[in-house]
Amino acid sequence: MSKGPELIITEKDNAARRIADILSGESAEADRINGVNVYKWGGKRCIGLSGHVVGVDFPPEYNDWRDVEPVELIDAPIDKHPTQENIVAALRRLARNARRVVIATDYDREGELIGKEAYELVRDVNEDVPVDRVRFSSITDREVTEAFDNPDGLDFNLAAAGEARQIVDLVWGAALTRFLSLSARQLGDDFISVGRVQGPTLKLIVDREREIEAFDPEDYWELFADLQKDSESFEAQYFYLDEDGNEAERVWDGDDAEEAYETLRNVEAATVDSVRRRTRTDDPPAPFNTTQFIRAAGSLGYSAQRAMSIAEDLYTAGYITYPRTDNTVYPEDLDPRELLDAFTANRTFGDDAQNLLEQEEIEPTAGDNETTDHPPIHPTGELPSRSDLTEDEWDVYELVVRRFFATVAESAKWEHLRVVADAGGLSLKANGKRLVKAGYHEVYPYFNSSESFVPDVAEGESLAVTDTEIEEKQTQPPRRYGQSRLIETMEKMGIGTKATRHDVIQKLYDRNYIESDPPRPTRLARAVVEASEEFAELIVSEEMTAQLEADMQAIARGDASLDDVTAESREILEDVFEGLMESGDEVGKHLQKSLKADKTVGACPESDHDLVVRKSRRGSYFIGCDGYPDCTYTLPLPSTGKPLIMDEECDEHGLSHVKMLAGRKTFVHGCPLCKAEEADAEEDLIIGDCPECGAGAESETPQNGDGETDGEHGELAIKRLRSGSRLVGCTRYPDCDYSLPLPRRGDIEVTDEECEEHDLPEIRITYDDSDREPWDLGCPICNYRAYQAEQAGGDELQSVKGIGEKTAEKLKAAGIEDVPSLKEAEPDALADLVDGVGPDTVRKWQSAAD
DNA sequence: GCAAGGTC
């Protein structure tokens, strides 16, 4: 019997550290094996995995998509192999002489499977060591201690349920993905994927788009009147009772609307029929789970992906709890007063925390979902200072803090006032609301708490009708899903998990299935959904997950085996493939046609082919003729962003407008041919000498392409390129490629002011929209230098090529604070002052700084 | 290079 250590295995490093702290009474020390943290104390070791450290896949002989018929994957063997070699190696080393192993992975199905994977790795190197399993719902002193005092065994059935899911997902996903990609001859980076979760998610988006397109708008009218009491005026709306006796505001017949409007217009006063006052309690929101957090961050303008990425950073830094959770009920051991206490000294949160602490009773809200793996997202009580975080991180951190505050705050109270009046036999109503007790709104400003004013009136009172209005409207198609609505709907449908839903959406973007935000489906997406609906309906249906979920529960209960479930699933897929293989060509053609439609801008002006968006070998986008190489017509596109073809077409050329997607820098490029023609028509405007090869340049004698002096001096000119961008560039381009950027929007005005340092006129940008102030961009060289400095994190020195963060620090220590002083410095003297820098390097910087 | 699920 070996006397080695006891080995505790957790799902992630963070959990390992916290559990080690609890069990050791904070005496555990961190060690590293193979670059993996191992916490040790007494005779114990604790190591954190990184989720699954082994993966399932087909053996290598199935790797070549062209050599293997997709249908063969259905019955192909499936292997498990380490995906995190260093962790697996460290685990093996520790397990070899362990005297006992305790699996302490998350308390959920996937955690049980990860635990079983660890168990198998342990067994590979140690046949006899006893292996226990501990389960706890949150990593706290009490729960962890209790769990380790009462160890249990691994639940192999539950783990098998997870394995069945892995197999079904791999077999269906890989076989169908390869089939669709092969049939459309899309084998590169742009393969065509389907899967149990991405399928129904994509169908959700495509179905909504179908509804929008099929929508037939209907006209209706709404009538309003301003009522006046004393000098206070408020708006009331006309309503009537429909045939079911329900209140209705929309008038569907134009003549009826006109008639009512005439009546209303001719009355001078309305009589108050009824006044109803009600107070409504507005309860604070439940604690954050992942979905609700993403939704709240979404209303602040963060994409689902971005919100999660920030949350993960805040978690890793120790400021908030684990961000992937379904739980909306705080664990019992969370003491709200203690947590609030941690905020009382803080500048931003102190007052709110103090006020909350002064409440007599603190009873946190609770949602419907209580799970066992992680608590709802809340601040840890370890506070960052504002400068520790980026602006976005602080924004999100504040949201999490304030959400916690809200959940322990009091309800708000609204007073609703509803007034119904009669105007010439027509009913008018006005709804006012007033926040009489702010409650949680005081600490959580993210919900709308705006009031609407209706004055105190009495029944029978007469009010002047001062203004009447009729509005013609149309019923609107259903709205597209935004990212957070999509995630909420996925959650309701039971597809994906808290940790993957936002990734699935990102995957749809990456696969060219959706574009823009809120996401719109591409033609390719429709074709994939259509093909799936016809031949493999299950893969775009939420039913597949529901069925799998039921099967997994049967396995977990012991009522079914992994083999039963996977064999049945494989049989269904065999049937799917029978239909699919018969129509493979047809499916492929449909997909190819849609792929091309997504790229087509319009007809080529020089041949009978289409113009399509293409990618150059250097990775930039341009527009080229589909008839290439017979026709070599091209049009350039801007260098920033990914082109999206819009519905709008150019009246003159019949080409679709192009939008360049680049996150916050997204802009509409418009018709690419118009842009090119505008550039051709505009003459370059000379503003000075080129600093590199102009008359005053010291550094180099201008040379032509052969390396001989061509005797010509370059000048700087404001130019408009065919790609639509504008710049200040050398007239000797391409022999001299000196250039400075100019903004895409606005009119460029060359002023009389001149920059003394560079002998260039200062430039001003003016805008057509009258409310936008002109921008004094100034000297283009100074402007570009300031821009580069901003990009380099506010440090001007780092804008110079060759100077990084460390060098900038050294230069500052030597008294060089900015670019002008760098340029004035004597190279030999400066080199003496700065470690590891020679006079030639200084000269290089000086010429680069120009 | 395929899925979906962990985690970073």
Side-chain angles (χ1 to χ4, degrees), chain A residues 128-139:
Chain A
D128 317 305
V129 63
V131 178
D132 289 327
R133 161 77 159 137
V134 290
R135 297 186 178 84
F136 41 85
S137 329
S138 62
I139 306 180

Side-chain angles (χ1 to χ4, degrees), chain A residues 782-845:
Chain A
C782 294
N783 168 264
Y784 185 49
R785 186 186 291 158
Y787 167 79
Q788 281 183 312
E790 202 180 306
Q791 294 297 301
D795 190 314
E796 192 183 321
L797 287 171
Q798 287 177 51
S799 71
V800 177
K801 200 175 160 193
I803 299 182
E805 199 177 329
K806 283 195 182 142
T807 314
E809 261 172 46
K810 283 191 212 166
L811 286 169
K812 279 180 195 159
I816 305 294
E817 296 275 351
D818 50 19
V819 173
S821 47
L822 174 67
K823 283 171 71 177
E824 281 160 20
E826 214 287 305
D828 292 293
L830 183 56
D832 282 344
L833 288 171
V834 185
D835 246 14
V837 170
D840 284 345
T841 311
V842 175
R843 281 187 204 100
K844 225 181 267 173
W845 291 336

Side-chain angles (χ1 to χ4, degrees), chain A residues 712-786:
Chain A
E712 192 190 326
H713 286 299
E715 290 178 301
L716 279 190
I718 294 176
K719 305 178 177 197
R720 181 186 288 275
L721 306 187
R722 302 190 95 224
S723 64
S725 49
R726 299 180 299 191
L727 49 79
V728 172
C730 182
T731 48
R732 287 180 58 256
Y733 181 86
D735 287 332
C736 171
D737 61 1
Y738 184 86
S739 80
L740 303 161
L742 286 174
R744 186 168 298 281
R745 266 173 41 83
D747 295 324
I748 296 170
E749 193 184 299
V750 178
T751 68
D752 299 335
E753 309 272 324
E754 218 166 78
C755 167
E756 286 183 15
E757 192 186 346
H758 303 107
D759 291 330
L760 289 176
E762 304 207 335
I763 287 170
R764 168 181 293 166
I765 312 293
T766 57
Y767 301 95
D768 285 341
D769 20 339
S770 54
D771 53 337
R772 190 161 169 190
E773 294 284 309
W775 170 24
D776 285 312
L777 183 146
C779 159
I781 294 180
C782 294
N783 168 264
Y784 185 49
R785 186 186 291 158

Side-chain angles (χ1 to χ4, degrees), chain A residues 538-826:
Chain A
L538 213 50
I539 206 70
V540 286
S541 160
E542 59 195 286
E543 277 306 300
M544 181 158 179
T545 296
Q547 186 55 53
L548 186 59
E549 199 60 47
D551 288 340
M552 282 195 286
Q553 283 174 23
I555 296 174
R557 283 196 310 268
D559 292 344
S561 73
L562 180 148
D563 287 341
D564 295 341
V565 167
T566 53
E568 195 190 333
S569 177
R570 285 177 159 119
E571 266 173 46
I572 298 170
L573 186 57
E574 299 266 10
D575 287 345
V576 166
F577 261 81
E578 260 180 44
L580 213 43
M581 283 156 74
E582 253 173 53
S583 312
D585 285 349
E586 191 190 314
V587 169
K589 274 193 194 126
H590 183 41
L591 291 169
Q592 281 178 317
K593 238 175 93 181
S594 309
L595 273 161
K596 204 189 144 194
D598 282 332
K599 297 189 300 187
T600 302
V601 176
C604 176
E606 293 185 356
S607 72
D608 297 334
H609 300 97
D610 284 325
L611 287 183
V612 294
V613 171
R614 294 176 169 279
K615 212 172 182 174
S616 75
R617 248 177 246 121
R618 297 212 318 264
S620 54
Y621 294 98
F622 68 99
I623 289 169
C625 181
D626 201 34
Y628 181 85
D630 293 338
C631 173
T632 56
Y633 185 85
T634 63
L635 287 170
L637 284 171
S639 53
T640 39
K642 189 181 165 198
L644 167 68
I645 291 155
M646 301 170 70
D647 293 335
E648 205 176 339
E649 276 182 13
C650 168
D651 291 336
E652 195 183 336
H653 305 107
L655 301 182
S656 297
H657 283 192
V658 177
K659 188 192 251 185
M660 301 303 293
L661 301 174
R664 275 185 213 166
K665 289 184 178 162
T666 295
F667 63 93
V668 174
H669 175 58
C671 167
L673 186 44
C674 286
K675 291 287 164 187
E677 287 178 352
E678 278 167 32
D680 292 341
E682 194 170 304
E683 297 229 358
D684 294 355
L685 178 64
I686 291 169
I687 57 168
D689 289 326
C690 174
E692 260 176 31
C693 68
E698 302 148 14
S699 47
E700 266 172 69
T701 315
Q703 296 187 328
N704 64 20
D706 306 325
E708 289 165 22
T709 306
D710 61 12
E712 192 190 326
H713 286 299
E715 290 178 301
L716 279 190
I718 294 176
K719 305 178 177 197
R720 181 186 288 275
L721 306 187
R722 302 190 95 224
S723 64
S725 49
R726 299 180 299 191
L727 49 79
V728 172
C730 182
T731 48
R732 287 180 58 256
Y733 181 86
D735 287 332
C736 171
D737 61 1
Y738 184 86
S739 80
L740 303 161
L742 286 174
R744 186 168 298 281
R745 266 173 41 83
D747 295 324
I748 296 170
E749 193 184 299
V750 178
T751 68
D752 299 335
E753 309 272 324
E754 218 166 78
C755 167
E756 286 183 15
E757 192 186 346
H758 303 107
D759 291 330
L760 289 176
E762 304 207 335
I763 287 170
R764 168 181 293 166
I765 312 293
T766 57
Y767 301 95
D768 285 341
D769 20 339
S770 54
D771 53 337
R772 190 161 169 190
E773 294 284 309
W775 170 24
D776 285 312
L777 183 146
C779 159
I781 294 180
C782 294
N783 168 264
Y784 185 49
R785 186 186 291 158
Y787 167 79
Q788 281 183 312
E790 202 180 306
Q791 294 297 301
D795 190 314
E796 192 183 321
L797 287 171
Q798 287 177 51
S799 71
V800 177
K801 200 175 160 193
I803 299 182
E805 199 177 329
K806 283 195 182 142
T807 314
E809 261 172 46
K810 283 191 212 166
L811 286 169
K812 279 180 195 159
I816 305 294
E817 296 275 351
D818 50 19
V819 173
S821 47
L822 174 67
K823 283 171 71 177
E824 281 160 20
E826 214 287 305

Side-chain angles (χ1 to χ4, degrees), chain A residues 330-350:
Chain A
Y330 290 130
E332 264 175 45
D333 54 81
L334 182 130
D335 181 349
R337 285 189 187 274
E338 199 179 304
L339 189 47
L340 283 170
D341 232 17
F343 287 92
T344 49
N346 184 272
R347 244 178 58 199
T348 312
F349 303 117

Side-chain angles (χ1 to χ4, degrees), chain A residues 247 272-279 415-420 430-432 454 456-459:
Chain A
E247 224 171 76
V272 176
D273 271 342
S274 71
V275 179
R276 199 178 67 202
R277 235 182 220 95
R278 272 203 308 209
T279 48
E415 190 175 79
H416 289 249
L417 176 60
R418 178 185 151 94
V419 171
V420 174
N431 289 304
V454 169
D456 253 332
V457 293
E459 270 179 41

